[in-house]
Amino acid sequence: MNLNHYQVFVTVAEKGNFSKAGQELFLSQPAVSQMMSQLEQELGCRLFVRQSRGVVLTVEGQEFYHQVKTGVQALEQANQRMQEMKLLEWGVLRLGVSDTISRYVLPKRLKKFSNRYPRLRISIRNGTSSELEHMLLSGEVDLVFGFMPQHLEEVEFCTLMTLHEVFVTSREYARELPELLTAQNIHQIKIMMLDRKSQTRKQIDAHLLLQNISLNPEVELANYELLAEFAKEGLGVAILARELIEDLHVLRSNIDLPTRDVGFYYQRKIPLSHAAKAFVETMIQ
């Protein structure tokens, strides 16, 4: 079965002439005639009746035309769609993002991508770091925009920025605190942190433990924005990323807090879609 023969057949049937069909398809008249003869031999029936001014369909040819026309149109539409995807005129970017990143880091970068490729649709799914890794490895998203993943052997990670954790609170509450937070006085401070299920919290706890510091926060919250709001109200001292905070006072401290890389990652062994490739190129420019 040669799919080209079917397209040539449909064109001949509609033009009623081998020469005119050849002109439209950029084929010679003998080539069109030969292809139709091969198709008739393959099907075991006559499709055309040759006349002085061209050809007309036989009864079998008419039935074959009605059946093949739909398939040829579907193939043409499929080919057109592939070209549109290649030219980034159609497609879907399936993106997984963490709640924190989707609020503080992603919007401006996504706006740049949308302005450049307005015809591409964007599908965004939120989740924790572990949930996002699972989405990527199971093929539910093309890329993840978030913190560096744990399983680097399976993904390609590109760093876009580095976040630095700091102690923060309101300016009013800061006046009641020591000028310098240390390992000796930190336990006297009302500390607020993300809950223990958070990957960020786990990294902070592990980093502090290396300095023989184990914090028992009085407030634990699952939401980053809510933690920032509590700090703005002076309800305690929170540990947040310097690059993401607004209207908060950064406290001086000799306690070392971790940094976290933010970027995007994708599966090494899975080819990226045209939309995903365009997103990567936009992010690294």
Side-chain angles (χ1 to χ4, degrees):
M1 181 178 69
N2 190 322
L3 294 178
N4 288 333
H5 288 182
Y6 292 95
Q7 183 160 9
V8 172
F9 165 76
V10 169
T11 306
V12 172
E14 293 176 346
K15 295 296 182 181
N17 186 286
F18 284 178
S19 295
K20 292 180 179 179
Q23 291 173 3
E24 181 163 319
L25 298 171
F26 302 101
L27 296 171
S28 67
Q29 186 275 334
V32 173
S33 180
Q34 182 181 12
M35 293 172 73
M36 292 303 93
S37 295
Q38 292 173 349
L39 183 58
E40 288 178 327
Q41 290 176 10
E42 182 181 327
L43 296 173
C45 66
R46 292 282 299 277
L47 298 174
F48 298 101
V49 175
R50 277 70 173 175
Q51 296 181 341
S52 59
R53 294 185 177 181
V55 295
V56 294
L57 291 169
T58 62
V59 173
E60 290 81 4
Q62 291 176 16
E63 179 61 26
F64 190 62
Y65 170 77
H66 292 306
Q67 295 294 329
V68 171
K69 175 66 174 178
T70 302
V72 170
Q73 287 178 332
L75 288 173
E76 290 175 346
Q77 291 172 356
N79 182 66
Q80 178 65 27
R81 182 51 53 84
M82 292 302 98
Q83 294 303 312
E84 290 173 349
M85 293 181 73
K86 183 178 179 180
L87 296 173
L88 300 170
E89 295 177 351
W90 191 94
V92 181
L93 172 65
R94 302 181 304 161
L95 197 61
V97 297
S98 70
D99 291 332
T100 302
I101 297 303
S102 63
R103 163 65 176 84
Y104 293 97
V105 181
L106 183 61
K108 289 184 179 179
R109 296 177 182 271
L110 206 55
K111 182 180 180 181
K112 178 182 178 182
F113 176 77
S114 296
N115 289 340
R116 182 172 295 181
Y117 305 107
R119 295 187 179 181
L120 295 181
R121 295 188 295 116
I122 302 173
S123 172
I124 297 179
R125 296 187 59 180
N126 290 82
T128 63
S129 296
S130 58
E131 289 172 342
L132 293 174
E133 285 188 55
H134 176 74
M135 289 180 198
L136 179 69
L137 297 178
S138 62
E140 298 175 49
V141 297
D142 303 313
L143 293 135
V144 171
F145 195 98
F147 300 110
M148 181 180 289
Q150 293 180 308
H151 305 96
L152 283 173
E153 67 279 0
E154 299 182 61
V155 303
E156 193 71 36
F157 181 81
C158 180
T159 301
L160 295 176
M161 64 184 300
T162 299
L163 302 182
H164 301 79
E165 301 293 343
V166 290
F167 293 102
V168 297
T169 188
S170 67
R171 293 188 179 278
E172 293 76 13
Y173 189 66
R175 298 190 184 98
E176 304 175 19
L177 302 175
E179 291 186 4
L180 182 70
L181 299 187
T182 67
Q184 290 70 41
N185 63 27
I186 191 66
H187 298 287
Q188 303 170 14
I189 308 298
K190 184 178 181 180
I191 298 295
M192 305 184 296
M193 301 177 69
L194 293 170
D195 65 35
R196 298 178 187 277
K197 296 180 181 180
S198 164
Q199 190 64 35
T200 298
R201 169 66 183 278
K202 292 177 181 179
Q203 292 178 358
I204 293 174
D205 284 345
H207 195 84
L208 290 175
L209 197 58
L210 294 175
Q211 303 168 70
N212 296 317
I213 300 174
S214 178
L215 297 180
N216 293 305
E218 295 186 30
V219 177
E220 294 185 349
L221 299 170
N223 185 279
Y224 196 92
E225 292 181 11
L226 189 57
L227 185 61
E229 289 301 319
F230 272 42
K232 289 178 183 179
E233 295 298 327
L235 298 176
V237 173
I239 300 177
L240 299 172
R242 182 191 298 272
E243 291 77 9
L244 305 184
I245 60 174
E246 298 175 354
D247 304 322
L248 280 167
H249 180 73
V250 178
L251 298 169
R252 293 179 59 242
S253 175
N254 62 9
I255 299 173
D256 187 46
L257 291 174
T259 60
R260 292 179 295 154
D261 289 331
V262 173
F264 60 85
Y265 58 93
Y266 51 90
Q267 292 195 68
R268 287 180 175 173
K269 297 181 180 181
I270 305 298
L272 289 174
S273 67
H274 291 296
K277 286 181 181 178
F279 179 80
V280 170
E281 292 172 358
T282 302
M283 292 303 101
I284 62 179
Q285 287 178 351

